[in-house]
Amino acid sequence: MALQHLDIATKGQGLYELTERVAAALDKAKAGNGLLTVFVRHTSCSLLIQENADPDVTLDLKSFFHRLAPPSDDPAMQWIRHRSEGPDDMPAHIKSALTAVSLSIPVENGTMLLGTWQGIYLFEHRDRPHRRRIVCHFSSDDWM
């Protein structure tokens, strides 16, 4: 698998699970043993590995990050200078800086070695819908 690109359509802030789409990319690549890198090509969203059993977890995460970095028109955010792209933009960059834009996941016999309750999520930090591009790259250690 050289590279696989996944496009994710978001509807605004929130967590969008993409575990099955990443697994399908591995299947398509006929992956064996190795390391999968998942990378998002944007600066106002991020990637997470998080619990995928209880939807309250993703809602609580969204609420936490909203409290941590509210919109720039909130009185607590008067210090923000970058405001040209709307009140959700700079807080989105802050949230992205505090999370991750890439993940490394070990793969054995073509299966991601995620824990029982772990899922891969795109964490959209902007209010309006976006189309996000994710790159998956599988590096095989079968040559060893």
Side-chain angles (χ1 to χ4, degrees):
M1 169 184 202
L3 294 174
Q4 285 262 332
H5 296 266
L6 303 176
D7 289 320
I8 308 295
T10 68
K11 297 176 182 168
Q13 289 193 38
L15 286 97
Y16 298 83
E17 188 170 4
L18 56 133
T19 312
E20 294 304 318
R21 291 193 60 191
V22 174
L26 277 175
D27 285 345
K28 183 177 178 182
K30 299 184 183 350
N33 298 329
L35 185 67
L36 174 67
T37 301
V38 183
F39 175 77
V40 63
R41 299 181 62 196
H42 304 277
T43 60
S44 56
C45 63
S46 55
L47 296 169
L48 296 175
I49 293 178
Q50 196 48 254
E51 178 178 329
N52 64 358
D54 184 349
D56 285 342
V57 171
T58 57
L59 293 173
D60 288 346
L61 281 168
K62 182 181 168 189
S63 295
F64 169 77
F65 276 94
H66 179 78
R67 291 179 67 186
L68 187 65
S72 62
D73 54 6
D74 183 289
M77 301 298 273
Q78 291 178 359
W79 57 271
I80 287 180
R81 295 178 192 193
H82 176 73
R83 297 172 180 268
S84 60
E85 296 180 50
D88 67 325
D89 187 48
M90 190 59 214
H93 293 300
I94 293 168
K95 294 169 189 175
S96 181
L98 294 173
T99 50
V101 295
S102 69
L103 304 171
S104 296
I105 303 164
V107 175
E108 184 176 57
N109 297 322
T111 301
M112 292 180 284
L113 296 179
L114 295 171
T116 302
W117 308 115
Q118 289 182 319
I120 303 168
Y121 289 88
L122 171 73
F123 196 175
E124 177 62 67
H125 303 304
R126 297 296 306 267
D127 289 335
R128 68 178 178 82
H130 281 81
R131 182 169 282 305
R132 301 302 194 172
R133 176 143 282 197
I134 294 171
V135 179
C136 298
H137 179 261
F138 178 71
S139 301
S140 175
D141 64 359
D142 288 337
W143 61 271
M144 298 177 100

